Amino acid sequence: MPALIASAPAKAILCGEHAVVYSSPAIAVPITQAKTSVRIQPWIQAPSGSVWIDAPDIHLSTARSDLPPTHPLSVLLNLIESDLRRGPLPAFRMKITSTIPVASGLGSGAAVSVAVLRAVYAFVSRPLPLERLNELAYQVEKIHHGTPSGIDNTVITYARPVFFQRGHPLQFLRIAQPFTLVLANSGQPSRTADVVADVRRAWQENPETYQDYFNQIASLVNRARAALETGDHTALGQLLDHNHALLQQIGVSSPILDTLTQAARQAGALGAKLSGAGRGGNLIALSQPERAPEIAAALTQAGAKNVFITTVEAVHE
């Protein structure tokens, strides 16, 4: 049997993070220039249920049986076996590679889950509808992130810009004009579960203030949707700046993220903000295409790591 290869893109939250956990809307877009790939091939003569995992990006090369039961890949493989209801999986070797920086707000964990799910279900010849793929990936997100919004697994599963609001039907976005983003890793890893838990504690201690922040974010997300649907990138940039200011007030920015947003704006960005959990991780800057290299250089000079430029294409469906 030939090797099977599956992949999943990165994602960036354009606006709405943290408030989305409290049923406010958020907008996220796929970042196809960064992705996780999974390659599976049979492990000849190994007993059923045996899996050998190579993940060179995290220096992992081991048998599944040697992983602790709480390891994300153990959890994921156990979930797959439970969902398939067919007993142990056929033995296979799995190699996971990724160009998505870890703990940077680009959905690296969800991309691994989606890519592994796609690869394993293809390996056992079981079609996996996108809706079910999304449900399974969200189950893994809940195990590792406590109370995630579900936006990571959703935009990565469907690889389309989405307007996401918990408890509401998923809406794919129309994008009137392509737009350019400069993405920069701050170089400071950030655990989503920890930051989300801190915000929840702050919200519980001061619910009126935090609900006001979330309401303001919800309003700007709706205006950002309108800007995307009309191609008004100037308005979109201003909304990104406003969103970053609110995230500062919520307490999830950091000195390096504030430094990078300022550097991007001074270099000509239409707007800039942290993207994801915050307190490290990733920054996005909205740019005119011709200014993107200059903004990328300014971000590198200001201390950013792994800066790259991506284009979100127009979607008229």
Side-chain angles (χ1 to χ4, degrees):
M1 180 179 179
L4 289 166
I5 299 175
S7 64
K11 77 92 186 60
I13 297 181
L14 203 61
C15 50
E17 51 269 271
H18 286 291
V20 72
V21 176
Y22 301 86
S23 299
S24 293
I27 293 171
V29 296
I31 305 298
T32 55
Q33 284 82 351
K35 67 179 181 178
T36 294
S37 296
V38 174
R39 184 178 188 270
I40 285 182
Q41 59 187 116
W43 191 359
I44 306 301
Q45 297 182 340
S48 294
S50 300
V51 179
W52 186 267
I53 302 165
D54 281 313
D57 300 311
I58 57 172
H59 310 291
L60 180 69
S61 184
T62 187
R64 171 190 182 183
S65 57
D66 291 332
L67 289 175
T70 56
H71 191 282
L73 291 172
S74 288
V75 171
L76 180 54
L77 291 169
N78 290 337
L79 176 65
I80 290 170
E81 285 185 331
S82 176
D83 183 64
L84 288 170
R85 300 178 182 176
R86 52 167 289 166
L89 293 165
F92 61 85
R93 293 178 176 270
M94 176 169 65
K95 184 172 184 178
I96 304 170
T97 57
S98 183
T99 57
I100 307 173
V102 176
S104 65
L106 294 177
S108 59
V112 169
S113 295
V114 170
V116 169
L117 284 161
R118 282 181 169 145
V120 173
Y121 277 74
F123 179 69
V124 298
S125 302
R126 279 281 297 272
L128 188 60
L130 288 178
E131 183 176 358
R132 182 56 181 160
L133 170 60
N134 194 33
E135 290 172 355
L136 291 170
Y138 182 60
Q139 288 185 40
V140 181
E141 290 284 284
K142 286 195 294 185
I143 291 168
H144 298 298
H145 295 310
T147 55
S149 65
I151 196 167
D152 280 24
N153 49 279
T154 300
V155 72
I156 287 169
T157 294
Y158 290 93
R160 292 183 59 181
V162 299
F163 182 89
F164 180 95
Q165 190 169 10
R166 180 183 279 174
H168 294 256
L170 176 66
Q171 298 180 54
F172 294 114
L173 281 177
R174 289 186 296 107
I175 308 294
Q177 299 290 336
F179 60 93
T180 299
L181 293 175
V182 183
L183 293 96
N185 183 357
S186 69
Q188 293 182 346
S190 173
R191 286 194 73 247
T192 297
D194 293 343
V195 184
V196 169
D198 285 348
V199 172
R200 181 167 291 278
R201 280 190 290 270
W203 169 72
Q204 290 169 339
E205 293 170 2
N206 200 344
E208 290 186 7
T209 297
Y210 272 73
Q211 191 58 54
D212 181 60
Y213 292 148
F214 299 151
N215 291 343
Q216 290 184 63
I217 291 173
S219 175
L220 74 82
V221 169
N222 284 307
R223 285 179 282 156
R225 177 178 187 169
L228 288 168
E229 291 180 340
T230 59
D232 189 345
H233 295 165
T234 299
L236 179 61
Q238 293 169 349
L239 291 165
L240 298 186
D241 286 343
H242 185 197
N243 197 169
H244 184 77
L246 287 167
L247 291 168
Q248 288 175 309
Q249 293 176 326
I250 286 171
V252 297
S253 192
S254 66
I256 183 62
L257 288 170
D258 292 341
T259 296
L260 293 174
T261 54
Q262 189 61 29
R265 292 166 189 160
Q266 290 176 347
L270 298 172
K273 62 179 284 292
L274 69 86
S275 178
R279 294 187 187 163
N282 202 57
L283 169 124
I284 58 172
L286 180 66
S287 171
Q288 295 167 327
E290 65 274 12
R291 298 297 296 271
E294 182 180 346
I295 294 168
L299 287 167
T300 300
Q301 187 173 5
K305 317 294 182 185
N306 302 319
V307 179
F308 64 96
I309 299 166
T310 188
T311 298
V312 179
E313 300 296 341
V315 181
H316 299 296
E317 298 177 14

